[in-house]
Amino acid sequence: MAKPQVVVAPVLMSKLSVNAPEFYPSGYSSNYTESYEDGCEDYPTLSEYVQDFLNHLTEQPGSFETEIEQFAETLNGCVTTDDALQELVELIYQQATSIPNFSYMGARLCNYLSHHLTISPQSGNFRQLLLQRCRTEYEVKDQAAKGDEVTRKRFHAFVLFLGELYLNLEIKGTNGQVTRADILQVGLRELLNALFSNPMDDNLICAVKLLKLTGSVLEDAWKEKGKMDMEEIIQRIENVVLDANCSRDVKQMLLKLVELRSSNWGRVHVTSTYREATPENDPNYFMNEPTFYTSDGVPFTAADPDYQEKYQELLEREDFFPDYEENGTDLSGAGDPYLDDIDDEMDPEIEEAYEKFCLESERKRKQ
């Protein structure tokens, strides 16, 4: 027997009537209105309403913040049965795993609805049904990772969506604290195992994308529990680079990932707050300071003890942009002697100082 379609309730006429202009955000193009113009006086089904909203978010992700509240309010008026909630979950899941750019937005949408949909039937609330849907795909991970190209592509989309869910789906405890779903953390670990156990190029690329997305958060969570899972994953990556028959480009990607992890996933360790930072307690204090040059071509920065004296000498010696207004208009009416001499050879002493500076910068970079 065919599942009955869920029809949006008449009380929602102001927002869901096909003739209501406020239903369509500015710039939103859809064949939604046209499909109901020819004498159809009914209201759109839940499927059609949700799908159009998902397409709109795909095209205009910036509208999420301004329109999500109204969307959730509308759903609370028409999602009143188990079947309707299941249909909603499936629509969002399909959009998030079939449209590459929608996985992040889909995860945000799932998080919002998990906290704002009021329906909670015996079969489970929105979040529970969503996780059940993900589990259906998760249980065939091993077959999917070694399947044909189409199967693997669909599997990779699911993996990356699950990664976004792990980062964005908030679980509120009884004390009001917000945590991530541990079950997703466990699931991502097993999905990585499935990908590395079948080291085809596209599987490995998917693993790299997932670790770039979630690696830092996963490692922090594992470390809090005293687990060494990330060490095991890195070891497995190194084994793949040595033994697997993957392409050179993919091996390079894997090595870059190992390098990223060795740099704490690109995160900069902050030794102190901005107000407390001093040259004595923060080695990065002068990191972003500009480099100046004395009249002899010797470089100096704010880290030098005699910085103030050298900088004052520089200000007295140089008259920066003397013949230019703020908007760049040339006031001299003639060629700029500095620009005219731009191709002249560098003074030997300045050239020597510049070469020393370059060598020293390269030495520090390699340390």
Side-chain angles (χ1 to χ4, degrees):
M1 181 181 296
K3 183 182 295 185
Q5 287 185 315
V6 179
V7 178
V8 177
V11 295
L12 301 171
M13 180 184 298
S14 64
K15 287 296 178 186
L16 296 184
S17 171
V18 296
N19 295 317
E22 65 269 28
F23 179 80
Y24 301 100
S26 176
Y28 177 40
S29 62
S30 171
N31 62 358
Y32 186 68
T33 302
E34 288 81 347
S35 63
Y36 280 90
E37 277 184 345
D38 299 331
C40 182
E41 299 176 358
D42 204 349
Y43 300 102
T45 63
L46 171 68
S47 171
E48 291 162 327
Y49 168 61
V50 172
Q51 190 60 59
D52 269 354
F53 184 77
L54 297 179
N55 292 340
H56 169 56
L57 282 185
T58 302
E59 296 170 3
Q60 299 185 32
S63 65
F64 180 89
E65 299 291 347
T66 57
E67 299 177 25
I68 185 59
E69 183 177 353
Q70 176 60 47
F71 179 65
E73 181 182 334
T74 300
L75 292 181
N76 279 326
C78 60
V79 179
T80 57
T81 66
D82 290 14
D83 285 346
L85 189 58
Q86 290 275 10
E87 184 177 17
L88 174 64
V89 168
E90 184 64 24
L91 286 168
I92 296 174
Y93 176 86
Q94 290 297 334
Q95 186 85 355
T97 56
S98 61
I99 307 298
N101 295 332
F102 196 75
S103 57
Y104 166 68
M105 185 59 65
R108 289 187 66 196
L109 178 60
C110 288
N111 180 59
Y112 189 92
L113 295 180
S114 71
H115 296 295
H116 292 85
L117 284 187
T118 55
I119 182 174
S120 184
Q122 291 184 347
S123 60
N125 58 30
F126 176 86
R127 185 176 67 243
Q128 291 167 332
L129 293 182
L130 173 67
L131 294 178
Q132 288 175 21
R133 178 62 182 88
C134 291
R135 185 172 184 82
T136 301
E137 206 75 26
Y138 169 82
E139 288 176 345
V140 296
K141 59 184 179 300
D142 295 318
Q143 301 95 301
K146 63 181 67 171
D148 59 27
E149 185 176 350
V150 174
T151 301
R152 295 199 308 274
K153 184 176 181 179
R154 185 169 61 246
F155 174 59
H156 299 156
F158 161 68
V159 169
L160 296 177
F161 175 54
L162 208 69
E164 292 287 7
L165 274 182
Y166 176 63
L167 296 180
N168 290 281
L169 191 62
E170 298 174 339
I171 310 297
K172 293 184 179 179
T174 54
N175 298 329
Q177 75 276 18
V178 177
T179 61
R180 291 190 170 90
D182 282 344
I183 191 166
L184 294 181
Q185 180 190 126
V186 175
L188 291 176
R189 179 69 172 93
E190 294 304 315
L191 289 172
L192 285 167
N193 284 342
L195 291 167
F196 286 123
S197 296
N198 300 276
M200 290 173 273
D201 278 6
D202 54 356
N203 281 344
L204 295 175
I205 291 172
C206 179
V208 169
K209 289 180 178 179
L210 179 61
L211 286 169
K212 282 186 174 181
L213 178 67
T214 64
S216 61
V217 178
L218 284 173
E219 183 163 17
D220 289 346
W222 287 329
K223 282 182 177 179
E224 286 181 6
K225 299 177 181 179
K227 294 183 176 182
M228 302 293 291
D229 290 50
M230 189 56 71
E231 296 292 344
E232 296 171 7
I233 290 173
I234 295 300
Q235 182 60 56
R236 193 153 191 185
I237 290 175
E238 292 173 350
N239 292 340
V240 166
V241 171
L242 291 174
D243 303 329
N245 293 322
C246 56
S247 70
R248 178 181 176 182
D249 288 344
V250 171
K251 287 185 177 182
Q252 189 68 21
M253 288 178 64
L254 292 168
L255 290 173
K256 288 288 186 182
L257 181 69
V258 174
E259 182 180 341
L260 177 65
R261 190 260 178 169
S262 67
S263 67
N264 193 26
W265 302 100
R267 296 178 292 188
V268 177
H269 175 67
V270 180
T271 57
S272 58
T273 63
Y274 175 77
R275 289 186 177 181
E276 296 175 349
T278 66
E280 288 74 29
N281 65 20
D282 187 354
N284 297 324
Y285 187 81
F286 292 112
M287 179 178 292
N288 296 320
E289 291 291 335
T291 299
F292 302 100
Y293 294 88
T294 67
S295 58
D296 297 326
V298 178
F300 69 95
T301 68
D304 292 308
D306 50 353
Y307 166 76
Q308 290 292 347
E309 180 182 343
K310 290 181 178 178
Y311 186 67
Q312 186 60 38
E313 178 188 342
L314 174 67
L315 293 179
E316 294 173 354
R317 186 179 76 248
E318 300 288 350
D319 182 14
F320 294 107
F321 310 113
D323 293 326
Y324 287 85
E325 292 181 342
E326 289 185 1
N327 63 3
T329 304
D330 187 352
L331 302 180
S332 66
D336 190 321
Y338 174 77
L339 295 177
D340 290 343
D341 295 338
I342 196 70
D343 293 328
D344 288 354
E345 291 187 3
M346 193 181 296
D347 182 87
E349 292 183 0
I350 297 179
E351 184 175 7
E352 182 181 358
Y354 178 71
E355 289 177 356
K356 288 182 179 179
F357 170 72
C358 291
L359 291 173
E360 180 66 15
S361 298
E362 180 68 15
R363 184 185 65 80
K364 289 181 179 180
R365 188 185 66 81
K366 292 180 179 180
Q367 285 181 345

